[in-house]
Amino acid sequence: MAEQKMVNLTIEGRQVSVPEGTTILEAAKTAGVLIPHYCYHPGLPVAGVCRMCLVEVEKAPKLAPSCATTVAEGQVVHVHNEKSLDARKGVLEMLLINHPLDCPICDQSGECELQDYTYQEGRADSRYREPKRFNPAEDFGGDVMYVPNRCILCTRCVRFMDDIAKEPTLNVSERGDRALIGKFEGRDMTHPWAANVIDLCPVGALLSKDFLNKARAWELDRAASICPNCTQGCNVIMETRENQIVRMRPRPNENVNAFFMCDWGRLNYRWMNEKNRVERPMVRDTNALVPTSWEAAITSAARVLNGKKVFVAASPMLSNESLFLLTQLMQDGNGAFRVREGEEAPLAGVKDLALRRERAANVYGAEKLGFKKTTDLLSGLGQGDVLLVAGEDLDGIDASALSRASAVVVINSVLPESAPNAAVVLPIANFSEEEGTVTNLRGRVQRFTQARQAPGETRPSWLVLGDLLGAMGRQTSFFLPSDVFAKLASTHKSFAGLSYDSIGLKGLPVVDAQSNGQNAPVAVGAA
Amino acid sequence: MGFPHQPHPRETTVLSKYFGDAEARTLDGWKKRGGYKALEKALGMAPADIVNIVKESGLRGRGGAGFPTGLKWSFMKPGDGKPHYLCCNADESEPGTFKDRECMRWTPHALIEGCAIGAYAIGAETAYIYIRGEFTEPLYWMEKAVKEAYAAGIIGKNAMGTGKRVDVHVHKGAGAYICGEETALMNSLEGRRGNPRIKPPFPAVSGVFGMPTTINNVETLIASAPILLNGADWYKKMCLSNPKSTGTKLFSVCGNVQRPGTYEVVMGFPFREFLYDLCGGPLHGRKFKAVIPGGASVPIQTMEEAEATLMDYEGFVEKGSMLGSGGVIVIDDAQPMVTVIARIARFFAHESCSQCTQCREGTAWTTKILERIRDGEGTMEDLDTLLDIAEQMTGKTICVLSDSCAVPVVSGIKKFRNEFEALIQGRRFHPVAAAVA
Amino acid sequence: MTPELVGGLESPDYASHDRASHEPYTQVFTGDVRRELDELLKRYPNKMAALLPALWIVQRERGWVPEEGMVEVADLLELTPAYVKGVVTFYTMYHQHPVGKYFIQVCTTSPCGICGAEDVVKAFLRHTNAGELGVTSPDKKFTVIEVECLGACGFATPVMVNDEFIESVTPDRVPDILAKLT
């Protein structure tokens, strides 16, 4: 790769050195200086329309729009000097003159960039004495609602649909201060990635209908996680209020999902709030399952499994850690999983980003660790095997298929209807209630963290499986999921050298990740 | 006395010689009047030589910016393997300006000739003439003239038998002043909303369809023909004041004046004589109060300033304004300045493309305050607010429409503050003179 | 009663009038008209550049630009209807709803404003019975709007009636102008 020419300049008194062609705004980031802006977004083509990012460059006649101006050797840039502050104050004042100032009823409140910058640098009062422009709110279709009165016309939404989704569904209509975002009658925001405009909107003009009035931004607890709804593994933030997930939003990851996530993934969080949980460990006493202590249940399960050939019916929603421990339980047996499928829906403007056909988080991990993908889940269950059901609810499986099993142990968050004869039931946390790693379709191992408190006496799956193996005399128990992962990494060549520390919150590829997946930064807008 | 009147003896009619001459609009008529000799000469020259002659002549963009034309043409790098384009800016929408309309409806072939010369000089095989949609008469004559020129082989793939290709297409606008801004014009030509583009990249590098492009005003292109025929020195000699302003300029005179119309005088002509002699002075019983000499975007001049001005780029700047497009709007003492300025602000608010925050919101806000003052409901704070808004609107946007809206506000409040204050203090506007007899 | 001439900055022609009641849309670009568009396409290196000319053709053929017209143009030029609508709403000369048989545009920007343009507008409103700017007269013959500078300031007040450009209109000329039309 050719030597990249570096340019040296001074921003707010700090020396920076950045590659030629970098904009002043991006260069400022490397110096820890945030230049306030609205229309600029690293995932979208530059527009330069909001005029918020104007900075003073010494010796230049006019203020420069830092998002659209490339650095030059020796430039001296001021971001928080009087001229720049004054210009920003002017932009903020102008943005508020037709604004309804309805923060008390606006969903964006608390995470609104107009609020944030006005509080930091705007006027304390308004000089506007004229009637305000008014347009009614509109349903744009999909999950998107548009409130024109709050719109600052940054055009991020239009540019996203034009250049990233590559389906121009939104436009700027009219002209001057009558302008607003529009769409065509009958052509709605039903594109599979359309709801990203809601995240992109800096203010409360584009809102999620699903999230409408559900929670205030400051009431939310947040956890960094991975979207479990397909094999792409988009990085997300799970946001909860009173232990219920109320929203999922994308987290940027240049190697996986750029800045985006699809609508299917985004809106499919309710299953993690599932209510009909099995909350206590249970063992069979003659005809019924009876709640018992964890120790008793684990001991009972160990007795059922020990020395027998075990068939594991696993779920591709389980973490690498849990799947690894499950393989240790197989004992010459084997395991399989099934995965729901749907239509693939790529995001045209980003390389290698799509809602994938296989709708589960860890298909790659499951296959890598030795589980067979099948459409007939129990076909591998041999006569007389012990059936270990892990993470599966056995929906649609005929109860008679279980008859080949000599015994059934269930390790799941809900009690499968078709396993009434289970010998032991060990209740576990679901994806949102525990910590672990999953591997996406390109072999990228990514960490997810705990977003919700698990109910009742349920425990993380890796902990339960670790204890189970301990009770079977195989090993000492694990205290942390990172320890399980360390064991996994030392056992399986693909995961060699990886650790929670090195994986961090951006993930790392397995050693033998497919080269056509590139595991290189996904080029946004270049596709 | 300027078209539609008979030419005044002190005019120098180079470009406007055939205004009103119906036969000049036909190919035969134009040829009889010496038409297309310049193009014939140009096609036999090297493009670089043409550029040099135009540079020497001192011709500057006549659309309003006054950028040296030869220099602009020299930005187009030959031999880059990319198709070059010439765009003729016939979107004339600056209030007070109507000279290009006259050029196109009276001497359409002059514009075709100018476009062909310009296109050839910059290495372009295609020229688009972007004419505003409201100019139905110019559109008719230009389309007709283009057809004639193609039929006669003057333009087309074998222009005047030289084997060189020059295509000229007329493109109709649809009602947007902002499309007179060169980058907005390019966007409009491409089938987009007429939004100005951020520069860099500059049109000569990446313009229409992403290719090197030059945009020139109608008058500028038409002037290139006589310059080629008569030489750069001939053009340079036509200069009554500053040597950086050479040649003749079409001035569109309108408003409260005896003989509104299109006048052509040599650069540096004394403005006082222009207004009182050539244009006939004020209407009966009235006195001049103010002049906006270069279209609505330039500062308003008091009569004291105007009467001391020499009409060229530098002369107007010296006397508190700019030459701009040369649209001379004459305002007499029967007109309330606040009403005039409020209506100008309304124009800009209507035409703002909506991209930049300061322009989109500022033009409308300015208009609303001015109209409130006009209607007797203003306050002294409003004047401070207006000046603040004007400052925010200046030098901070993608294009200068925003600045243009601020200009009449600032110059109006500075030079006619008494009228603003009178309305604010509840006094009515009294025209100094009685109604016209 | 003299009509009020104040209003919002939106062009009165944008007023969302009753759009439901118009004739069923028939395809514009067939036969000769389609050939006309094909000829136009030759002038530009891509299809999008023919958008404004194509919209002019729709308005010429149908009197205004209906949403179905936007869809037809979008399909032919490989654009989306939303994109085409964004362009249509930018340019003031494309009518987004049916207008009177005679569409009257009076320039009132300052150079004409100081020459009595407002009186010309009032005269047109009175004599056409349209009564209000942007509203079609009851006999469906006339729609009167104010427009920005028409580029004929020396011939105050210029007025456009459909494609006809009339110079130097004064209030007393208005009845004659209207009489010649009908």
Side-chain angles (χ1 to χ4, degrees):
Chain A
M1 200 165 96
E3 267 291 311
Q4 185 128 63
K5 179 157 179 268
M6 302 299 278
V7 175
N8 306 295
L9 65 155
T10 311
I11 301 181
E12 278 294 288
R14 303 170 206 201
Q15 296 291 321
V16 275
S17 184
V18 288
E20 193 178 29
T22 309
T23 58
I24 296 180
L25 195 149
E26 285 292 336
K29 282 185 189 175
T30 67
V33 176
L34 167 67
I35 301 178
H37 57 276
Y38 289 118
C39 70
Y40 173 75
H41 190 280
L44 301 173
V46 171
V49 294
C50 71
R51 316 312 288 178
M52 190 65 180
C53 69
L54 294 174
V55 293
E56 182 166 15
V57 177
E58 282 184 16
K59 298 204 197 105
K62 294 205 288 192
L63 296 176
S66 53
C67 70
T69 310
T70 45
V71 295
E73 187 68 31
Q75 264 176 341
V76 181
V77 179
H78 299 285
V79 178
H80 294 290
N81 67 337
E82 194 184 329
K83 265 206 191 137
S84 308
L85 284 168
D86 190 60
R88 283 205 292 279
K89 200 171 187 181
V91 171
L92 288 167
E93 182 178 21
M94 302 260 197
L95 288 175
L96 289 174
I97 62 176
N98 277 305
H99 194 93
L101 306 173
D102 56 355
C103 304
I105 57 167
C106 174
D107 266 7
Q108 198 82 4
S109 193
E111 49 187 21
C112 171
E113 295 182 47
L114 191 53
Q115 275 183 340
D116 293 344
Y117 292 134
T118 302
Y119 189 74
Q120 275 171 229
E121 299 179 343
R123 290 182 66 95
D125 60 349
S126 174
R127 294 189 281 188
Y128 191 72
R129 302 271 168 271
E130 332 300 326
K132 294 197 178 209
R133 169 201 67 213
F134 176 86
N135 284 300
E138 286 177 60
D139 184 346
F140 271 179
D143 187 36
V144 183
M145 181 182 144
Y146 179 58
V147 184
N149 298 333
R150 301 175 184 148
C151 180
I152 60 170
L153 275 193
C154 70
T155 67
R156 278 184 181 182
C157 54
V158 179
R159 278 176 284 141
F160 175 80
M161 294 310 293
D162 281 359
D163 297 294
I164 311 297
K166 302 233 195 246
E167 204 175 271
T169 313
L170 297 177
N171 61 34
V172 178
S173 288
E174 311 291 318
R175 210 164 68 187
D177 77 328
R178 289 81 61 207
L180 73 169
I181 304 298
K183 68 166 191 60
F184 198 83
E185 181 79 31
R187 315 275 171 127
D188 292 345
M189 288 286 275
T190 48
H191 186 279
W193 292 77
N196 284 293
V197 300
I198 299 166
D199 306 324
L200 289 167
C201 183
V203 298
L206 286 169
L207 298 171
S208 163
K209 294 190 293 194
D210 180 79
F211 184 65
L212 198 63
N213 299 335
K214 264 171 47 175
R216 283 318 220 162
W218 56 85
E219 293 174 325
L220 299 172
D221 291 309
R222 297 178 171 90
S225 188
I226 304 296
C227 175
N229 292 312
C230 87
T231 53
Q232 178 72 34
C234 294
N235 290 198
V236 298
I237 305 172
M238 289 193 186
E239 293 176 306
T240 59
R241 181 184 178 204
E242 290 174 13
N243 212 38
Q244 296 294 291
I245 299 177
V246 287
R247 184 170 67 178
M248 282 212 292
R249 278 189 302 136
R251 224 178 355 118
N253 187 324
E254 60 179 11
N255 287 302
V256 182
N257 59 314
F259 301 92
F260 314 114
M261 74 185 291
C262 72
D263 291 17
W264 158 269
R266 176 193 295 270
L267 296 172
N268 259 301
Y269 56 81
R270 287 180 169 82
W271 64 267
M272 289 183 270
N273 291 336
E274 60 195 347
K275 294 277 194 299
N276 57 331
R277 303 289 288 269
V278 50
E279 294 192 9
R280 299 184 63 188
M282 297 195 276
V283 284
R284 179 155 299 275
D285 180 6
T286 342
N287 284 327
L289 282 167
V290 172
T292 181
S293 71
W294 267 105
E295 246 197 86
I298 295 272
T299 311
S300 189
R303 222 177 320 124
V304 172
L305 291 167
N306 232 339
K308 310 277 195 346
K309 190 150 158 276
V310 178
F311 177 80
V312 180
S315 161
M317 285 293 195
L318 291 170
S319 61
N320 291 324
E321 290 79 359
S322 303
L323 289 165
F324 168 62
L325 293 174
L326 281 167
T327 59
Q328 316 270 287
L329 288 164
M330 279 186 215
Q331 303 171 138
D332 296 333
N334 51 62
F337 69 93
R338 59 177 181 169
V339 60
R340 262 189 219 103
E341 293 203 355
E343 286 274 310
E344 177 162 294
L347 183 58
V350 180
K351 189 154 144 279
D352 200 28
L353 178 58
L355 163 60
R356 300 293 172 181
R357 302 201 59 217
E358 295 179 335
R359 302 294 171 88
N362 203 10
V363 171
Y364 187 105
E367 285 190 299
K368 202 66 161 176
L369 291 165
F371 290 86
K372 184 160 163 261
K373 179 162 59 180
T374 172
T375 47
D376 188 358
L377 183 61
L378 298 179
S379 56
L381 174 64
Q383 186 67 33
D385 287 353
V386 173
L387 172 63
L388 175 51
V389 180
E392 252 284 352
D393 53 15
L394 295 180
D395 258 358
I397 302 279
D398 193 357
S400 60
L402 296 155
S403 57
R404 285 202 299 281
S406 57
V408 179
V409 175
V410 171
I411 307 181
N412 199 25
S413 56
V414 297
L415 190 59
E417 276 176 22
S418 35
N421 293 329
V424 186
V425 176
L426 303 174
I428 53 169
N430 71 25
F431 188 87
S432 63
E433 295 156 352
E434 64 176 37
E435 193 189 343
T437 61
V438 286
T439 316
N440 82 348
L441 82 166
R442 298 290 176 232
R444 192 175 193 85
V445 181
Q446 304 189 105
R447 287 179 60 188
F448 61 95
T449 65
Q450 187 177 2
R452 299 174 55 236
Q453 211 176 33
E457 294 176 49
T458 63
R459 288 181 176 180
S461 51
W462 57 268
L463 183 62
V464 171
L465 292 166
D467 283 350
L468 190 49
L469 283 165
M472 289 162 76
R474 303 289 189 75
Q475 59 180 56
T476 50
S477 295
F478 298 100
F479 288 109
L480 294 171
S482 50
D483 294 338
V484 184
F485 188 84
K487 186 99 198 287
L488 162 62
S490 63
T491 311
H492 279 267
K493 275 200 315 281
S494 304
F495 293 84
L498 299 176
S499 71
Y500 270 28
D501 277 341
S502 66
I503 290 170
L505 287 177
K506 291 287 182 184
L508 278 177
V510 292
V511 172
D512 49 348
Q514 298 160 290
S515 61
N516 67 337
Q518 292 298 340
N519 273 306
V522 292
V524 180
Chain B
M1 302 183 192
F3 183 81
H5 318 281
Q6 287 306 308
H8 190 282
R10 296 182 68 188
E11 283 186 73
T12 308
T13 55
V14 174
L15 312 174
S16 57
K17 188 163 177 191
Y18 301 110
F19 283 7
D21 182 347
E23 210 191 276
R25 300 193 272 199
T26 62
L27 178 55
D28 286 336
W30 186 244
K31 276 194 167 153
K32 267 199 219 127
R33 289 153 178 74
Y36 288 115
K37 289 214 167 51
L39 177 59
E40 195 175 359
K41 183 174 181 188
L43 290 171
M45 292 166 69
D49 293 336
I50 301 176
V51 172
N52 282 330
I53 293 179
V54 172
K55 259 192 192 163
E56 258 299 299
S57 71
L59 174 65
R60 291 163 70 165
R62 296 292 194 239
F67 192 85
T69 308
L71 184 58
K72 196 188 237 190
W73 285 3
S74 73
F75 292 153
M76 300 289 278
K77 297 293 166 232
D80 58 4
K82 295 184 188 161
H84 291 185
Y85 291 97
L86 176 74
C87 290
C88 170
N89 189 342
D91 189 63
E92 184 172 65
S93 309
E94 184 71 42
T97 320
F98 48 97
K99 58 181 178 75
D100 296 336
R101 177 167 172 261
E102 305 297 357
C103 289
M104 288 189 281
R105 65 181 182 141
W106 295 116
T107 57
H109 282 284
L111 180 55
I112 295 175
E113 187 168 12
C115 286
I117 293 172
Y120 177 68
I122 63 168
E125 289 188 335
T126 310
Y128 294 105
I129 306 178
Y130 185 101
I131 305 181
R132 62 179 292 189
E134 297 90 336
F135 274 3
T136 45
E137 201 184 339
L139 277 159
Y140 171 78
W141 287 107
M142 288 307 305
E143 295 261 16
K144 194 152 179 272
V146 166
K147 274 206 188 76
E148 282 185 309
Y150 267 106
I154 293 173
I155 54 177
K157 56 180 188 277
N158 185 11
M160 297 190 111
T162 60
K164 294 167 180 146
R165 182 183 202 99
V166 179
D167 276 323
V168 179
H169 301 299
V170 171
H171 187 97
K172 183 177 175 186
Y177 161 80
I178 189 59
C179 291
E181 200 277 340
E182 64 174 11
T183 58
L185 189 151
M186 294 193 295
N187 270 343
S188 185
L189 191 58
E190 289 183 8
R192 305 178 197 274
R193 289 167 63 92
N195 290 337
R197 302 177 182 176
I198 43 181
K199 294 193 275 203
F202 289 87
V205 171
S206 172
V208 75
F209 310 121
M211 296 298 153
T213 308
T214 300
I215 302 100
N216 285 125
N217 175 259
V218 167
E219 191 185 347
T220 315
L221 288 168
I222 291 181
S224 66
I227 290 175
L228 271 191
L229 279 181
N230 301 315
D233 280 338
W234 163 81
Y235 201 72
K236 268 200 299 198
K237 283 206 189 85
M238 289 193 283
C239 167
L240 293 172
S241 178
N242 195 306
K244 287 200 273 199
S245 296
T246 59
T248 62
K249 173 84 185 76
L250 292 171
F251 286 93
S252 313
V253 179
C254 60
N256 310 127
V257 73
Q258 286 278 356
R259 290 192 291 267
T262 311
Y263 294 80
E264 190 172 358
V265 292
V266 173
M267 286 286 201
F269 197 94
F271 204 22
R272 180 165 50 82
E273 291 164 44
F274 181 80
L275 289 170
Y276 287 98
D277 182 6
L278 279 71
C279 303
L283 298 171
H284 183 72
R286 304 236 200 117
K287 285 201 333 210
F288 287 151
K289 179 160 74 172
V291 182
I292 312 179
S297 309
V298 306
I300 307 172
Q301 279 188 313
T302 59
M303 287 324 293
E304 195 187 326
E305 288 173 316
E307 290 171 12
T309 303
L310 293 175
M311 299 163 78
D312 62 19
Y313 292 103
E314 294 74 21
F316 277 110
V317 170
E318 261 175 59
K319 294 298 174 198
S321 186
M322 288 163 63
L323 186 141
S325 60
V328 180
I329 308 170
V330 188
I331 303 164
D332 69 20
D333 50 9
Q335 312 304 327
M337 285 312 290
V338 178
T339 304
V340 173
I341 297 171
R343 187 60 184 84
I344 294 178
R346 176 170 272 258
F347 166 80
F348 286 113
H350 186 258
E351 299 298 328
S352 169
C353 77
S354 84
Q355 283 191 109
C356 301
T357 306
Q358 294 97 332
C359 178
R360 179 180 75 239
E361 304 291 345
T363 51
W365 191 8
T366 300
T367 305
K368 290 180 185 168
I369 298 178
L370 285 168
E371 290 182 350
R372 201 161 36 78
I373 297 176
R374 176 198 70 191
D375 297 340
E377 285 163 27
T379 64
M380 292 304 283
E381 287 78 39
D382 283 332
L383 292 182
D384 296 325
T385 308
L386 280 172
L387 291 172
D388 269 355
I389 298 172
E391 204 194 314
Q392 288 296 339
M393 288 171 72
T394 306
K396 300 186 173 69
T397 47
I398 295 176
C399 84
V400 294
L401 189 150
S402 179
D403 303 49
S404 298
C405 182
V407 158
V409 174
V410 170
S411 59
I413 292 178
K414 179 164 149 199
K415 301 175 188 180
F416 297 92
R417 197 182 178 101
N418 56 321
E419 290 203 35
F420 285 87
E421 289 186 352
L423 283 168
I424 290 169
Q425 285 152 11
R427 292 180 275 134
R428 294 286 176 87
F429 171 80
H430 289 288
V432 174
V436 180
Chain C
M1 186 197 93
T2 41
E4 276 301 311
L5 291 177
V6 288
L9 280 154
E10 55 283 315
S11 170
D13 194 29
Y14 278 158
S16 45
H17 290 257
D18 138 55
R19 302 153 69 139
S21 64
H22 64 266
E23 297 123 33
Y25 182 80
T26 50
Q27 298 275 304
V28 167
F29 293 98
T30 54
D32 283 336
V33 183
R34 179 62 194 266
R35 275 185 283 278
E36 187 185 350
L37 178 65
D38 290 336
E39 273 305 304
L40 270 171
L41 282 165
K42 291 189 189 149
R43 297 183 178 186
Y44 309 100
N46 63 38
K47 290 190 171 170
M48 191 160 88
L51 179 54
L52 269 74
L55 291 169
W56 276 119
I57 293 176
V58 173
Q59 182 151 299
R60 181 191 76 204
E61 297 291 320
R62 295 286 175 267
W64 61 298
V65 185
E67 295 211 325
E68 297 94 326
M70 296 184 212
V71 174
E72 194 186 349
V73 169
D75 288 340
L76 280 167
L77 299 179
E78 291 167 23
L79 305 163
T80 61
Y83 178 85
V84 173
K85 186 156 188 206
V87 172
V88 170
T89 57
F90 181 86
Y91 296 98
T92 58
M93 292 189 79
Y94 294 127
H95 306 317
Q96 292 169 63
H97 55 85
V99 296
K101 185 166 175 209
Y102 301 105
F103 188 71
I104 301 170
Q105 304 172 69
V106 184
C107 173
T108 58
T109 312
S110 292
C112 294
I114 58 179
C115 295
E118 299 271 293
D119 294 329
V120 175
V121 176
K122 286 180 185 153
F124 270 107
L125 285 173
R126 199 165 49 245
H127 290 283
T128 59
N129 263 322
E132 228 187 292
L133 289 170
V135 175
T136 306
S137 60
D139 57 3
K140 295 219 190 304
K141 281 202 192 138
F142 305 104
T143 312
V144 181
I145 66 164
E146 282 189 55
V147 289
E148 300 299 336
C149 183
L150 282 175
C153 324
F155 302 87
T157 302
V159 172
M160 284 186 74
V161 180
N162 297 345
D163 282 344
E164 198 191 337
F165 197 105
I166 309 174
E167 295 169 345
S168 308
V169 177
T170 51
D172 45 289
R173 281 188 62 195
V174 170
D176 273 338
I177 292 172
L178 291 172
K180 281 206 189 76
L181 294 174
T182 49

